[in-house]
Amino acid sequence: MVDSVDASRAGARLTVDLGAIRDNYRLLASKTKGACAAVMKADAYGLGMEQVAPALALEGCKTFFTAHLEEGIRLRQLVPEDCAIYVLHGPPPGTARDCFQYDLRPVLNDPGQIQEWRALARTLDRELPAAIQLDTGMSRMGLAPEDLLALSKERDWLAGVRPTLVMSHLACADEPLHPVNEAQRRRFEELRALFPGVPASLANSSGVFLGSSYHYDLLRPGAALYGINPQPGTPNPLRQAVSLHARVVQVRSVCDGAVVGYGAHHACTGEQRIATIAVGYADGWLRSLSGRGFAFVDGVKVPIAGRVSMDSITLDVTGIAPERVVPGSEVELMGSHQSVDEVAALAGTIGYEVLTRLGSRFHRRYV
Ligand SMILES: *Cc1c(COP(=O)(O)O)cnc(C)c1O
């Protein structure tokens, strides 16, 4: 978005509440006797790592996770030197030296990544810190139990590596009664015994709420920091961290039988008033919200009429007095009337996807 345009007149405004994110961090950290990290992948779930990471460092967060090496390199400039930064995907082949140079700790997920890190340690003739990730049942990332057991039979299999964390990731933590949770916890318990004295970490946001037996030494929340409910179906203990407001571009009266939008999916019954707002699927307002989603004008809920376009959405504002919806009027898409989780449910997805898709054309405001 062009900086020279006054924010009050711009197309749409995304407000990120850093105070809410800090409050959420404090709440999550208060659940454990151990430490609480913060997951920063995908630009802090779309909210802006540049602003979010320093805010959390001020709140006392000392450990951060990114997915990619490049994210870790960017994060290194944003938080104090004494903060540990882990790169969840580990070093891509041939990048161990970059990882080292930027003082990043790779999460070692397989025998090949362990070899790369050890090779660099030999070259530099020093021990290098890293996390070891164990696959306890998700089959996505981490050492398979059989690989770990085979490796650990070799003498000095980790020579050169100083494990600073042993971790695993839960597949079903948002379903507290799912038997996979307990199965993963038990497997983690068994396998981490191979790393005596090394701090352990298992819980993502939802895992924090599975009870203290899942907490170990370090919590690893992402979503809950950003206001996504870690326990779907129960009241959200966390504060909403984002709001999104669009502006009306045009209001039209359309008569009985007229159709609205691509595919002529919405046919008007009687005279209707249609307000077009300047946000579309290119801004991350998912096309699956076509004919299903809602917005709020002056606190009144109005339905999306017809399909979401690339740059605009048509709202049925028939129920609102004409003088209250005019070009320039503000429309809430997320905020006090509609949470990220509610939008996600209507779109047939999860809050994680809604946040990480929020586009680059908004005026971003940090409060
Ligand atoms: C994304 C991720 C997290 C954070 O998960 P949330 O559900 O967002 O709290 C923690 N650990 C790993 C390995 C992850 O990939």
Side-chain angles (χ1 to χ4, degrees), residues 18-322:
L18 294 173
I21 296 173
R22 288 176 67 160
D23 285 351
N24 291 343
Y25 177 81
R26 269 205 308 281
L27 179 85
L28 293 161
S30 75
K31 301 273 178 203
T32 179
K33 290 195 211 59
C36 185
V39 178
M40 289 290 121
K41 57 198 190 190
D43 201 24
Y45 290 47
L47 303 194
M49 182 167 75
E50 213 125 308
Q51 290 78 13
V52 170
L56 289 174
L58 283 175
E59 206 53 56
C61 183
K62 290 270 178 243
T63 308
F64 294 86
F65 289 84
T66 65
H68 296 278
L69 173 62
E70 289 84 349
E71 293 174 329
I73 291 172
R74 203 151 69 76
L75 179 56
R76 187 76 274 176
Q77 325 299 317
L78 302 174
V79 295
E81 272 174 31
D82 65 338
C83 290
I85 300 174
Y86 288 97
V87 177
L88 288 165
H89 289 185
T95 63
R97 198 172 271 277
D98 299 285
C99 227
F100 168 74
Q101 265 165 6
Y102 287 94
D103 191 18
L104 307 173
R105 298 180 182 183
V107 173
L108 302 176
N109 293 296
D110 70 7
Q113 291 187 339
I114 293 175
Q115 282 319 319
E116 286 225 16
W117 204 233
R118 286 186 59 189
L120 181 64
R122 263 196 309 279
T123 308
L124 300 174
D125 192 24
R126 57 182 286 179
E127 281 209 319
L128 298 176
I132 309 288
Q133 176 149 230
L134 312 176
D135 176 16
T136 53
M138 192 172 176
S139 310
R140 184 181 71 170
M141 227 134 41
L143 284 166
E146 52 278 18
D147 286 346
L148 175 65
L149 294 173
L151 275 175
S152 63
K153 289 205 175 76
E154 296 167 25
R155 240 168 60 88
D156 295 338
W157 70 284
L158 264 186
V161 176
R162 180 165 59 86
T164 49
L165 189 69
V166 54
M167 60 176 277
S168 188
H169 192 49
L170 295 165
C172 307
D174 57 337
E175 298 175 59
L177 300 177
H178 204 297
V180 162
N181 293 321
E182 193 53 21
Q184 284 196 269
R185 196 188 66 76
R186 283 182 188 201
R187 184 161 282 181
F188 187 59
E189 198 61 50
E190 266 166 50
L191 297 175
R192 85 182 182 103
L194 292 165
F195 304 87
V198 176
S201 176
L202 180 62
N204 67 334
S205 298
S206 297
V208 173
F209 295 86
L210 292 178
S212 57
S213 62
Y214 286 81
H215 290 175
Y216 295 95
D217 303 296
L218 183 70
L219 305 178
R220 261 185 0 254
L225 292 171
Y226 312 117
I228 291 171
N229 191 354
Q231 304 168 284
T234 69
N236 189 350
L238 299 148
R239 290 183 58 196
Q240 289 297 301
V242 276
S243 54
L244 179 61
H245 293 88
R247 287 193 182 272
V248 172
V249 178
Q250 184 184 8
V251 187
R252 303 217 332 125
S253 284
V254 283
C255 49
D256 192 29
V259 291
V260 179
Y262 285 119
H265 264 258
H266 179 86
C268 294
T269 48
E271 186 172 311
Q272 287 188 321
R273 272 181 316 111
I274 299 294
T276 302
I277 59 171
V279 165
Y281 62 74
D283 303 295
W285 214 247
L286 300 174
R287 195 164 171 273
S288 56
L289 289 163
S290 297
R292 301 173 49 86
F294 297 93
F296 289 79
V297 180
D298 237 357
V300 179
K301 188 175 188 175
V302 296
I304 293 178
R307 284 195 182 147
V308 174
S309 300
M310 183 186 292
D311 311 295
S312 58
I313 294 172
T314 36
L315 300 170
D316 177 0
V317 295
T318 312
I320 297 181

